[in-house]
Amino acid sequence: MTKSTKKPMSRRDFGKSLGLAGIGAAGATLAGGAPALASGRSTTSSSWAEGYLGAPLKFGVSCFNTANPFYAPVKAGAEDAGEQLGIEVLWTGVSDGNTVNQIAGFEQMVRTGYQAIVVIPLEADAWIAPIRKAREQGVLVLTTNTDAPESGRELFFGQDLKQAAVHQGEMIAELTGGKGEIALTNCAPGVGALDLRVAGATEGAEKSGMGVVGVFNTNPADMAAEIATIENILKAHPDVAALAPLCGPDTAAAGLVRKNNNLDIPVIGHDMLYQTLELIKEGHIDASIGQQPYLQGFLPIMYAYQRVALGAPALDLPGGNYYLANEVVNKDNVDQFLVRKERFQQ
């Protein structure tokens, strides 16, 4: 793939080129959260592109935890984009967060002619060398959901994690009147994405006059252990003003603790696991901040097609970040998200 000499395309122009009227300056939202599928594969456009390139179009997505139900809508979004474009999109990776094995699979895709690869990395620094090497070989590499910003990837698609958590802290302060301390939970200590959420939630709470009693590590693979951890937090800190879980499983666990113990402590968390949405509807979680996982799969594949098949110029965005708008789910609007989420139940 040769480097384009064209002037970088603006975000607005790129949105227009895709026909995505919902993409605006603040982020990307589509009605209902999932574009309607075309009635059949776009075989004409894909055949033309393959003739132009002299090779079949091969796009892939590599995920660090394919077993995590959070990624079901990301996978669906990537595959739906491929369906609309008439190309196969390989969903692959590892089920256990093993970065060494994930990188080995990524490098195999590079060797076997994948022109574009979207990476969902766990350990950002470990991806610097393999992504840079792939880019040197002409492969378009994007990241989505989680990032490796020093790797030379072209764009990151996802949430502004820190600012979303700042909003979380501010929302909690509104419920508590800005008084007391909040407890944060972290399901992936040491991972950059969660570090950003810790910093953001702390900033949002402190800006509103609240404090943080602590950041407590959890085990997202064991819901019983999650529940026990949150119950222990409340026993050790009976005066805590609110719970601020920073992960999807933590949010559901906090809602279950509140439900099982008949508590009314405020809970505002992250992500839209189906169980979390049900607990919001029942009134056991006040709100959760979603990050549009479907679009995290859909948009990178659409962008890759523009770049690889059509020779479009790269988007010139600050920091190479294509941030998606947050979705705040509460009892007033949860029904629409429950309907949408049913598609991704495994």
Side-chain angles (χ1 to χ4, degrees):
M1 184 170 63
T2 58
K3 187 174 181 180
S4 172
T5 58
K6 298 178 183 178
K7 181 180 177 182
M9 187 183 294
S10 72
R11 178 178 183 159
R12 186 176 298 278
D13 289 342
F14 176 68
K16 289 178 180 177
S17 76
L18 291 184
L20 300 179
I23 298 179
T29 55
L30 298 183
L37 289 179
S39 58
R41 284 188 174 276
S42 303
T43 53
T44 302
S45 61
S46 63
S47 298
W48 174 87
E50 289 178 9
Y52 168 74
L53 292 171
L57 288 171
K58 298 173 71 174
F59 292 179
V61 182
S62 174
C63 176
F64 75 85
N65 190 349
T66 56
N68 187 337
F70 172 86
Y71 290 110
V74 182
K75 178 176 184 287
E79 291 175 345
D80 283 358
E83 180 76 20
Q84 290 195 17
L85 294 168
I87 61 176
E88 294 293 335
V89 175
L90 175 67
W91 174 265
T92 186
V94 294
S95 62
D96 57 0
N98 187 314
T99 297
V100 172
N101 289 345
Q102 186 187 5
I103 289 174
F106 169 85
E107 291 174 337
Q108 176 67 11
M109 283 195 284
V110 173
R111 287 192 296 271
T112 53
Y114 280 76
Q115 300 100 334
I117 305 173
V118 183
V119 178
I120 304 173
L122 177 61
E123 301 171 86
D125 289 347
W127 282 93
I128 292 174
I131 289 178
R132 285 182 177 175
K133 184 177 179 181
R135 296 281 282 149
E136 289 169 0
Q137 295 178 47
V139 179
L140 174 65
V141 182
L142 311 168
T143 55
T144 194
N145 181 251
T146 58
D147 195 14
E150 304 302 319
S151 66
R153 61 29 174 188
E154 182 163 301
L155 277 184
F156 163 69
F157 290 80
Q159 187 179 53
D160 185 336
L161 295 163
K162 182 178 179 181
Q163 287 305 310
V166 167
H167 188 44
Q168 176 190 20
E170 293 170 342
M171 290 168 64
I172 287 174
E174 290 180 11
L175 289 179
T176 63
K179 298 178 181 179
E181 295 181 311
I182 65 174
L184 310 181
T185 64
N186 185 345
C187 68
V191 174
L194 270 296
D195 290 343
L196 290 171
R197 281 183 174 174
V198 169
T202 300
E203 179 182 324
E206 291 179 346
K207 279 170 55 179
S208 304
M210 301 189 72
V212 175
V213 71
V215 182
F216 303 90
N217 296 338
T218 60
N219 178 5
D222 186 340
M223 181 56 75
E226 288 250 5
I227 290 171
T229 297
I230 293 170
E231 289 178 338
N232 288 336
I233 293 170
L234 296 176
K235 288 177 184 176
H237 304 279
D239 295 328
V240 71
L243 294 173
L246 300 177
C247 305
D250 294 11
T251 302
L256 288 171
V257 169
R258 177 169 157 175
K259 177 180 180 179
N260 295 341
N261 294 278
N262 195 27
L263 304 175
D264 61 0
I265 183 170
V267 176
I268 294 180
H270 286 268
D271 300 329
M272 294 187 291
L273 300 183
Y274 197 80
Q275 188 173 34
T276 294
L277 297 177
E278 290 180 319
L279 288 164
I280 291 173
K281 185 174 179 66
E282 294 171 5
H284 304 298
I285 296 174
D286 296 284
S288 191
I289 302 174
Q291 54 180 302
Q292 304 211 60
Y294 181 93
L295 290 182
Q296 290 178 8
F298 185 86
L299 290 177
I301 298 301
M302 285 293 189
Y303 176 81
Y305 187 84
Q306 297 284 315
R307 295 282 287 122
V308 173
L310 305 182
L315 272 179
D316 186 15
L317 299 176
N321 295 314
Y322 194 113
Y323 287 139
L324 305 180
N326 298 324
E327 293 182 301
V328 178
V329 187
N330 56 35
K331 199 168 184 179
D332 292 335
N333 64 2
V334 68
D335 285 341
Q336 71 187 67
F337 291 97
L338 278 164
V339 170
R340 191 176 85 183
K341 195 70 176 177
E342 285 175 357
R343 176 187 174 193
F344 309 120
Q345 287 299 97
Q346 294 180 325

